[in-house]
Amino acid sequence: MTWFPKVAAVFLAALAIVGAVAWVNFLDRYIAASDARMQTGENVGYRDVRIPAITSSDQNVTVGVLFFLRNPSGIAIDIDRITYRLYMDNLTDTRSFAEKSSSIFVVTGGFTPQTGYVVGPHNTATVWGNATVFAATQPIQLRRLNLTFGGRYFPIIDASLVYTVHGTSIFEIVVGIEFVTSGGILPSGS
Amino acid sequence: MGTLVAVANFSDYGLWLSLDVGGTIIFVALAAGIAIGLRLRDTEPQFLVLAGFVASSIAIVIVVISVYAPVFAGVIPGLEALGPSDSARAVIIFVSLFLIPLHLVGCVVGYALADFLAPEGLRGGRDLERL
């Protein structure tokens, strides 16, 4: 046998080995990332909402919303940003939310880490997203926020999440993460 | 061939190997074809072409399997769940069709190269001097 069929055989073997290793790496990441993209939207929600009691009209009020994100997939997820719009429901206003939303809107808030906040594979993360209502510049918003029925707040929160599948350039936006309570929440610290 | 072409098409996933799509298709198809041509020096040319065609067809099947891997794995109901990129996936499969002609050219080049490199007396071509 001359030398060139041997060289060709070695080349084909090397190509097969490199191709197989790269393919396994690709399949692992592609399937895990697809799994993450499918399931993330169903695994993000609220764990707590804290609104302090408002005792005076010149009080700056910081609202805290505790989000959770479960990652059931086999690849990490980077939380790039969580943003939300906070509304305070006026139970005496019987119009639909779409009609009254502009009159009950209070403030926007969120969680924006400097770099992506990593949620590991099969892990759950909880993060606070804060929003502050400044009495000096937002008196109307403070008045809307200070609306209780039976000593309870009835906030409505509409959030969105922007995340990246870790180590990739695949990013997704989850919109319409809703928080609505029928029983209301007590002012925090009370 | 199919594995490397699939890997080249999904560089967004932060893979271990990052490849240019066009360069990969041309290089892998030609280089593998030349290597197969060199290996099959003693076979009939029609068998070489058939082998090249079968090899590149299997490579395309591997590309298609790769594109639909999450569906086969059962993590998504259909590829449309990953977003409106049907045309992008069609392009991947269409581009992989170029493997067939390129690979056949590589096979023929490899076959001719093997004949050219073979020692005197072992060449499969016609001996013009004897004619």
Side-chain angles (χ1 to χ4, degrees):
Chain A
M1 194 188 228
T2 47
W3 59 272
F4 49 86
K6 293 176 189 165
V7 173
V10 170
F11 173 77
L12 285 173
L15 196 65
I17 292 167
V18 172
V21 172
W23 199 47
V24 168
N25 173 251
F26 154 71
L27 284 182
D28 183 41
R29 294 186 73 82
Y30 182 38
I31 292 170
S34 302
D35 191 25
R37 293 168 74 183
M38 276 304 290
Q39 297 200 56
T40 300
E42 302 159 2
N43 285 282
V44 58
Y46 303 87
R47 191 149 282 174
D48 197 6
V49 178
R50 288 190 183 167
I51 305 171
I54 299 167
T55 52
S56 76
S57 59
D58 58 355
Q59 179 185 347
N60 292 335
V61 180
T62 297
V63 175
V65 179
L66 185 62
F67 293 92
F68 74 86
L69 175 61
R70 270 192 299 270
N71 178 12
S73 75
I75 193 167
I77 287 173
D78 296 350
I79 298 176
D80 296 329
R81 190 169 68 245
I82 297 175
T83 52
Y84 65 83
R85 293 170 66 82
L86 173 76
Y87 304 84
M88 189 58 73
D89 201 3
N90 183 351
L91 299 183
T92 58
D93 187 342
T94 55
R95 290 179 299 166
S96 69
F97 175 72
E99 288 173 307
K100 67 181 177 182
S101 61
S102 60
S103 64
I104 61 173
F105 171 69
V106 179
V107 70
T108 59
F111 169 73
T112 310
Q114 292 295 316
T115 56
Y117 183 93
V118 181
V119 186
H122 311 293
N123 270 339
T124 300
T126 52
V127 293
W128 281 100
N130 293 327
T132 303
V133 179
F134 296 97
T137 55
Q138 298 171 299
I140 297 169
Q141 284 86 341
L142 187 65
R143 211 162 39 244
R144 289 176 181 170
L145 182 65
N146 189 21
L147 181 65
T148 57
F149 295 89
R152 288 170 177 266
Y153 291 115
F154 288 82
I156 298 170
I157 298 166
D158 181 15
S160 64
L161 160 74
V162 180
Y163 70 90
T164 308
V165 180
H166 189 67
T168 73
S169 51
I170 307 293
F171 79 96
E172 290 279 336
I173 302 170
V174 181
V175 296
I177 307 164
E178 304 276 351
F179 173 88
V180 182
T181 171
S182 56
I185 59 167
L186 287 168
S188 59
S190 63
Chain B
M1 286 191 288
T3 58
L4 290 174
V5 170
V7 167
N9 275 295
F10 288 89
S11 55
D12 286 353
Y13 286 85
L15 303 168
W16 166 75
L17 202 58
S18 179
L19 300 167
D20 171 66
V21 178
T24 301
I25 289 177
I26 293 169
F27 171 77
V28 167
L30 282 177
I34 290 170
I36 289 173
L38 288 171
R39 290 287 301 162
L40 299 180
R41 187 171 64 90
D42 299 328
T43 61
E44 294 293 322
Q46 59 269 34
F47 180 74
L48 172 82
V49 172
L50 185 67
F53 187 78
V54 170
S56 48
S57 300
I58 293 172
I60 291 168
V61 170
I62 290 174
V63 172
V64 174
I65 289 172
S66 303
V67 170
Y68 286 90
V71 180
F72 296 139
V75 298
I76 56 171
L79 284 181
E80 57 281 358
L82 295 178
S85 53
D86 281 340
S87 56
R89 288 187 288 273
V91 164
I92 293 171
I93 294 165
F94 177 76
V95 160
S96 69
L97 294 176
F98 282 97
L99 282 171
I100 294 176
L102 289 169
H103 187 61
L104 287 178
V105 168
C107 285
V108 173
V109 169
Y111 194 75
L113 199 60
D115 202 41
F116 175 74
L117 293 172
E120 201 74 34
L122 290 176
R123 292 184 181 171
R126 285 181 295 177
D127 190 349
L128 295 176
E129 281 181 10
R130 234 190 303 165
L131 293 173

